Amino acid sequence: MPKRSFCLPMLAALLAAAVPAGAQVRVITSTPHAANPLDAPDIPDPILDVAPPSITLLQVPGVSHGDEGYRPEVGQPGKDVIWVPTPDSLVKAMLTVAQVKPTDQVVDLGSGDGRIPIAAARDFGARARGIEYNAEMVALARRNAIRAGVADKVSFLNADIFQTDFSDATVVTMYLLPSLNLKLRETLLRMRPGTRIVSNAFSLGEWEPERTITTDDATGYFWIVPANAAGRWAFELGAERFAAELGQQYQMLTGARGTMVREGRLRGTAIRLTLADGRVLEGQVRGDEMSGPGWEAQRIRPAG
Ligand SMILES: C[S@@+](CC[C@H](N)C(=O)[O-])C[C@H]1O[C@@H](n2cnc3c(N)ncnc32)[C@H](O)[C@@H]1O
């Protein structure tokens, strides 16, 4: 009997998230997690504004393709977390809120039966990869990809997510555990700014999500990897010149006391700064430069 590496409350939480077979589920909404000054009108709410494509069941009656030899059970042990599938409604909502598109490379960490990468390819046109430790689940996911007609766009790697490079992903999805999310957080923060991350059920600690996704039976969270904007910057606003020190915690920025910048926020490389006198600067961060209409800044010293 393999040693189970989960506690009972966590098992209960994961099992509670499993949708009963055949249940009809409906996306309710996605809401900004907190007042977000970067949620400008030109950033549509993807859940409300995009009619999501339908996701069909992966199992085709009468077609086994080898399934007769292996039937996974909800709650079966995994290396670091048991297998519980994400409900189809939340799969759709997670990929929709991340605005997955054909140019994306989606990676699901702990991909189970492959439903998230398969939906990303089939319903959103993306390339997708699943990383899964259980070899039988990998084989099942590959069969599911063939059945869904997306074997050319989807791959499954039989590997440990903590030993595997996924830095090529533009969208990362996961349904793990709070402790595993925290273990991944530094790796996720080192990904390219703008990389989108969606988690079923569990947060990333004090890294505040951009959005909370709610379906009839599940909750997910959405983040965007922020650019690095910490350090001392020399600003030019027309003829005006000043220097300001920016502190950064995840996507939140704080101007040092007594300097011209009061606070700010990043959404990937997009930046919005509020000055001490109330003026707002919006623009983009590119390495050691940032700029927007009528202003620019150079980083003169990185964060200590
Ligand atoms: C809760 S299930 C989620 C499955 C799928 N992502 C979904 O949302 O339907 C977690 C999956 O992670 C796998 N897993 C656990 N530890 C892992 C590890 N260290 N590396 C890769 N996969 C792992 C389990 O076998 C299981 O299939």
Side-chain angles (χ1 to χ4, degrees):
M1 176 82 175
K3 186 172 169 290
R4 296 192 175 206
S5 53
F6 53 87
C7 59
L8 280 178
M10 220 39 87
L11 172 61
L14 278 168
L15 287 175
V19 67
Q24 287 296 310
V25 281
R26 183 175 59 85
V27 173
I28 302 173
T29 185
S30 91
T31 49
H33 187 73
N36 180 355
L38 293 177
D39 268 352
D42 61 337
I43 304 174
D45 183 324
I47 290 287
L48 298 178
D49 296 352
V50 178
S54 68
I55 292 176
T56 51
L57 287 173
L58 299 176
Q59 302 297 329
V60 180
V63 182
S64 72
H65 294 284
D67 290 351
E68 64 280 359
Y70 178 68
R71 288 200 182 277
E73 280 183 26
V74 172
Q76 72 186 23
K79 180 174 181 291
D80 293 310
V81 57
I82 59 174
W83 176 62
V84 177
T86 295
D88 282 344
S89 60
L90 190 64
V91 171
K92 185 191 303 182
M94 287 166 71
L95 297 172
T96 302
V97 84
Q99 299 189 315
V100 172
K101 52 192 180 305
T103 50
D104 277 318
Q105 171 68 60
V106 177
V107 173
D108 186 33
L109 301 178
S111 48
D113 65 1
R115 62 185 55 211
I116 294 180
I118 289 169
R122 184 190 56 206
D123 303 326
F124 296 80
R127 285 173 300 122
R129 184 163 79 248
I131 304 172
E132 168 61 52
Y133 195 78
N134 179 328
E136 289 178 304
M137 291 301 274
V138 169
L140 172 64
R142 287 178 181 147
R143 292 196 294 277
N144 284 338
I146 292 168
R147 277 188 279 258
V150 291
D152 57 332
K153 288 192 150 183
V154 176
S155 62
F156 293 97
L157 190 62
N158 186 196
D160 186 333
I161 54 172
F162 294 105
Q163 309 291 330
T164 307
D165 178 25
F166 52 89
S167 57
D168 61 324
T170 57
V171 177
V172 176
T173 57
M174 54 199 193
Y175 182 18
L176 298 167
L177 286 173
S179 58
L180 302 183
N181 283 12
L182 288 185
K183 201 170 157 188
L184 286 165
R185 192 170 66 189
E186 277 311 306
T187 305
L188 295 169
L189 279 165
R190 279 197 304 272
M191 295 185 76
R192 264 176 307 196
T195 302
R196 290 146 280 157
I197 301 161
V198 206
S199 168
N200 178 357
F202 301 119
S203 76
L204 280 165
E206 62 271 25
W207 183 3
E208 183 188 301
E210 295 290 326
R211 284 182 173 271
T212 298
I213 313 158
T214 313
T215 64
D216 280 353
D217 52 6
T219 300
Y221 301 99
F222 171 63
W223 298 262
I224 303 174
V225 174
N228 172 6
R232 189 166 180 79
W233 295 81
F235 285 82
E236 285 186 34
L237 284 71
E240 211 178 332
R241 306 261 188 285
F242 59 86
E245 185 90 25
L246 293 181
Q248 178 169 356
Q249 200 181 26
Y250 308 106
Q251 67 272 54
M252 309 306 287
L253 299 169
T254 317
R257 257 177 112 81
T259 59
M260 274 291 284
V261 179
R262 191 196 307 153
E263 61 184 14
R265 186 167 177 137
L266 290 151
R267 194 177 160 92
T269 57
I271 190 165
R272 180 185 165 109
L273 296 170
T274 304
L275 304 188
D277 60 11
R279 281 177 294 171
V280 170
L281 305 180
E282 289 182 323
Q284 292 285 326
V285 181
R286 287 182 204 83
D288 288 333
E289 294 178 2
M290 54 174 145
S291 60
W295 69 277
E296 60 183 47
Q298 300 269 346
R299 187 166 5 216
I300 47 182
R301 198 179 61 223

